[in-house]
Amino acid sequence: MKNRTVEILAPAGSYESMVAAVNAGADAVYIGGSRFGARAYANNLDEETMVKAIDFMHLHGCRIYMTVNTLVKEKEMWDLYSYLKPYYEAGLDAVLVQDMGALTYIRKHFPDLPVHISTQMTVTGKYSARDLKSLGAVRVVPARELSLKEIREIYDDTGLEVETFVHGALCYCYSGQCLFSSLIGGRSGNRGRCAQTCRLPFDAEQNGKYVNKKNEKYLLSLKDLCTLDLIPDILEAGVCSLKIEGRMKSPRYTAGVVSIYRKYVDLYLKEGRAGYHVDQADRDALLALFDRGGQSQGYYRAHNGWDMVVLKEKPEYRDVNQELFDYLDRTYVNTEKKIPVTGNAYIAVGNAGYFSVSDEAGNTAWEESQPAEEAKNAPMDAERIRKQLSKTGDSMFTFTDLSVECEGNVFMPVQALNKMRRDVLEKLKEEILSGYRRNSSVPPTKEEETLPVRKPSEKIPEFTAFVQTKAQFETVLGKFKMYRKLSAGEYGIYLVAAVGLVIFFYGITKLKTVIETIRQVQSYIRLNRMYLEVLLKMIGITYIAEFSSGICKDA
């Protein structure tokens, strides 16, 4: 277990969360920029702050992955190059993508940028993973609904890096396949604007009667995932990156969850299964940080089950573990982890001062100062110089070891010593970051940047209606007729049947086309007779159909 490389991947919904994650022991973070991310309402970073974040992570020996995991419209694809170029050049470690077009575009124009497949792409088996590898992907985040066995099969078959969620929110629907928020509120989860509709209370009806209890209305809201007990199983299934969900959560939450998973990953890597155990206090701490109504182990061992569903509303008031919160704020949130370095200085009368520093990765920088003078009164000894050079102040570096050698009765102004220290640490910073810089992007051609010229289409007003009764349906069609009177243009309306079917009737001035469309799809659309009869009555068309068990079939 000691030679196994395991990554704890933390969410960073803000710059502050990113810092807290690093302080708490994360190996990498995933974060969104100003566009193309699946969390449009997080505190995503602008270009300047994102470049600063990339540098911060690299200076601390960590990795940063950027989310480009929404579906990208054709007209937006050409913005990807200018959007990603500054981050690519700064050394961005990888991008997460959902859109196949974005995948191929990034591989073409940013050849040295690793691409990770987002869980939004709904990879559920080795065959799709195999194809994505052939397109240049190096890592896959499978659908969260997979078992340990299925995850292992992907890893064994493809050799791809596998990243899976180990803690945080679970979607009721397959990631990337949910249209609930989009249909109800016009906020698409595939465009980063999920309204979390599944977290609302619902009733379940069967034969006109409620089948859920009055205090069990959260039928689509899943409990948060917690896999502390499964870490050995997950890692032995071939997973290399343990992903924590929560880009909409606070820096405190991020720090708390990361620190606990850091503890247990390190325990497993050191002791193996034999020495692995989870303390109840850590389970309680995770629930204190966020509790949606309990936790589950997701789909790793079970296909599904009621124990994964929240059902009951969480208590309005609960005890707050302020001691835990204060500890996390003090230890991880309101502080910044320093970068350990070592240094050597040589000061000799009549010669320029020499100062070299190195970090733990072997990066080295050196700087010279003005020549040291002969002391007229009290010479400066090595200890005094060492104390002065050790004062890193607001710098992100801290000396773990600093040796100073003096020759002669030396004297050097404090300002000169301070300048030498500042300059050498700045050089070390640039030395570290230079190893990540790139300039190998491939600009798009003029042909690629030119979109096909299309005739502008008339804007079509439309609205979404969910109907369950005849009265509701008639009201909707009344609106339909009203729009026709207001304008001679073409209008459309969505009608959503109780059976879950969505039909789009387009072209109010072409009613015959509407009826013909109904006839064409009647063989495979299960449309309730009531809706069809009302529709035909409102538009003055008589249509003879044969009905069986309330379902309309072709005559």
Side-chain angles (χ1 to χ4, degrees):
M1 304 304 170
K2 293 181 180 180
N3 296 325
R4 179 74 187 276
T5 300
V6 178
E7 175 183 85
I8 294 180
L9 179 57
S14 65
Y15 190 92
E16 293 75 18
S17 289
M18 177 196 70
V19 173
V22 171
N23 291 342
D27 301 294
V29 300
Y30 61 104
I31 194 168
S34 58
R35 300 185 64 187
F36 304 111
R39 290 292 183 271
Y41 301 112
N43 293 323
N44 297 312
L45 310 188
D46 59 23
E47 181 177 315
E48 180 181 356
T49 311
M50 179 64 77
V51 171
K52 177 183 175 183
I54 293 171
D55 288 348
F56 176 89
M57 293 299 290
H58 290 159
L59 288 169
H60 285 275
C62 299
R63 296 171 293 281
I64 181 169
Y65 310 141
M66 188 173 180
T67 57
V68 188
N69 57 341
T70 58
L71 294 179
V72 181
K73 296 181 180 180
E74 183 179 356
K75 64 183 180 181
E76 298 170 333
M77 191 67 70
W78 322 114
D79 296 334
L80 268 178
Y81 182 79
S82 59
Y83 175 69
L84 288 176
K85 187 173 184 287
Y87 311 137
Y88 177 77
E89 292 176 345
L92 181 66
D93 293 287
V95 288
L96 288 91
V97 301
Q98 172 188 11
D99 191 280
M100 291 292 288
L103 167 60
T104 55
Y105 185 91
I106 291 169
R107 291 299 303 139
K108 177 179 180 180
H109 295 289
F110 302 98
D112 297 325
L113 181 60
V115 176
H116 297 176
I117 301 302
S118 170
T119 191
Q120 293 292 112
M121 200 179 279
T122 327
V123 175
T124 57
K126 62 184 179 182
Y127 301 105
S128 53
R130 194 185 295 167
D131 288 343
L132 290 165
K133 181 179 180 180
S134 70
L135 292 174
V138 299
R139 178 183 292 191
V140 62
V141 189
R144 304 182 212 196
E145 293 75 16
L146 298 194
S147 66
L148 290 167
K149 180 181 178 181
E150 291 167 323
I151 292 169
R152 181 77 207 191
E153 188 176 50
I154 291 175
Y155 173 71
D156 287 342
D157 184 85
T158 65
L160 284 168
E161 294 179 5
V162 179
E163 169 189 314
T164 63
F165 284 92
V166 295
H167 196 90
L170 284 173
C171 295
Y172 190 89
C173 182
Y174 275 87
S175 297
Q177 302 300 314
C178 184
L179 303 178
F180 202 7
S181 172
S182 179
L183 288 174
I184 287 183
R187 287 173 49 176
S188 172
N190 286 318
R191 295 283 292 169
R193 293 174 172 82
C194 179
Q196 307 251 341
T197 314
C198 58
R199 303 298 181 189
L200 298 174
F202 294 92
D203 285 312
E205 290 187 23
Q206 186 176 25
N207 299 324
K209 295 182 179 180
Y210 293 143
V211 296
N212 59 298
K213 297 178 181 179
K214 289 184 178 181
N215 65 339
E216 293 183 349
K217 291 181 177 289
Y218 292 86
L219 307 177
L220 303 179
S221 181
L222 297 190
K223 298 175 183 177
D224 274 17
L225 177 67
C226 178
T227 64
L228 285 182
D229 293 296
L230 298 182
I231 285 178
D233 296 325
I234 293 172
L235 294 179
E236 290 171 16
V239 175
C240 69
S241 180
L242 306 180
K243 187 172 192 174
I244 297 166
E245 185 277 338
R247 278 197 288 147
M248 300 296 289
K249 300 289 200 313
S250 68
R252 176 193 293 161
Y253 171 89
T254 301
V257 177
V258 168
S259 64
I260 291 174
Y261 276 83
R262 176 82 275 163
K263 171 183 174 179
Y264 286 102
V265 168
D266 291 346
L267 176 64
Y268 171 71
L269 294 178
K270 181 181 179 182
E271 303 291 344
R273 280 185 176 272
Y276 190 84
H277 66 280
V278 178
D279 297 331
Q280 183 60 41
D282 291 320
R283 303 182 204 273
D284 295 341
L286 290 174
L287 283 171
L289 287 167
F290 188 82
D291 182 7
R292 201 188 300 275
Q295 297 172 332
S296 79
Q297 294 183 346
Y299 299 91
Y300 285 112
R301 284 181 173 169
H303 181 63
N304 52 34
W306 276 113
D307 61 328
M308 295 177 63
V309 184
V310 171
L311 291 181
K312 296 182 180 180
E313 187 173 9
K314 61 184 180 181
E316 187 173 353
Y317 300 101
R318 64 182 64 203
D319 293 334
V320 174
N321 191 338
Q322 194 60 48
E323 183 179 355
L324 171 65
F325 295 170
D326 291 343
Y327 168 78
L328 294 174
D329 290 346
R330 182 175 63 253
T331 309
Y332 304 120
V333 178
N334 299 325
T335 187
E336 186 171 314
K337 188 177 181 181
K338 295 283 189 176
I339 302 169
V341 294
T342 60
N344 292 278
Y346 176 73
I347 311 293
V349 174
N351 295 320
Y354 175 85
F355 192 13
S356 67
V357 293
S358 302
D359 67 1
E360 294 179 340
N363 296 293
T364 300
W366 63 275
E367 179 64 25
E368 289 185 344
S369 71
Q370 65 186 54
E373 304 172 18
E374 180 81 32
K376 296 180 178 179
N377 296 311
M380 302 175 72
D381 58 16
E383 180 60 21
R384 182 180 173 187
I385 294 175
R386 190 191 68 79
K387 287 182 178 180
Q388 193 62 40
L389 292 177
S390 297
K391 296 178 180 180
T392 54
D394 294 334
S395 167
M396 61 178 59
F397 298 100
T398 184
F399 283 101
T400 57
D401 183 65
L402 175 57
S403 63
V404 176
E405 181 181 353
C406 294
E407 190 172 311
N409 295 323
V410 300
F411 171 79
M412 184 173 288
V414 170
Q415 296 90 333
L417 291 173
N418 291 342
K419 182 178 184 303
M420 184 167 61
R421 181 192 62 244
R422 288 193 301 268
D423 291 348
V424 74
L425 291 178
E426 184 63 27
K427 282 187 176 181
L428 178 62
K429 175 183 174 181
E430 292 305 313
E431 175 66 19
I432 295 171
L433 295 178
S434 66
Y436 295 93
R437 306 297 193 207
R438 308 185 187 99
N439 58 4
S440 56
S441 62
V442 180
T445 62
K446 290 184 178 180
E447 289 77 11
E448 286 179 305
E449 290 183 322
T450 304
L451 284 172
V453 178
R454 297 174 180 174
K455 184 180 179 180
S457 58
E458 181 182 355
K459 187 175 181 180
I460 303 172
E462 60 183 58
F463 60 89
T464 306
F466 282 76
V467 296
Q468 292 181 309
T469 67
K470 183 176 180 180
Q472 292 172 347
F473 197 81
E474 290 174 339
T475 300
V476 169
L477 289 180
K479 291 284 187 181
F480 197 83
K481 295 176 67 177
M482 179 186 69
Y483 280 128
R484 180 172 59 180
K485 293 178 180 179
L486 292 175
S487 172
E490 295 188 350
Y491 295 90
I493 182 172
Y494 286 104
L495 303 180
V496 185
V499 293
L501 170 69
V502 180
I503 308 175
F504 180 53
F505 293 99
Y506 168 73
I508 188 63
T509 60
K510 301 177 182 178
L511 295 179
K512 290 183 179 180
T513 302
V514 174
I515 299 307
E516 181 60 31
T517 300
I518 292 177
R519 286 174 172 161
Q520 290 174 359
V521 303
Q522 198 66 53
S523 60
Y524 61 90
I525 290 181
R526 306 179 68 197
L527 184 62
N528 187 287
R529 174 179 179 175
M530 175 186 69
Y531 302 123
L532 182 59
E533 287 184 319
V534 174
L535 171 65
L536 297 177
K537 179 180 178 181
M538 294 296 292
I539 60 180
I541 300 294
T542 300
Y543 179 69
I544 300 175
E546 178 184 335
F547 290 84
S548 174
S549 301
I551 302 300
C552 181
K553 296 182 178 179
D554 281 339

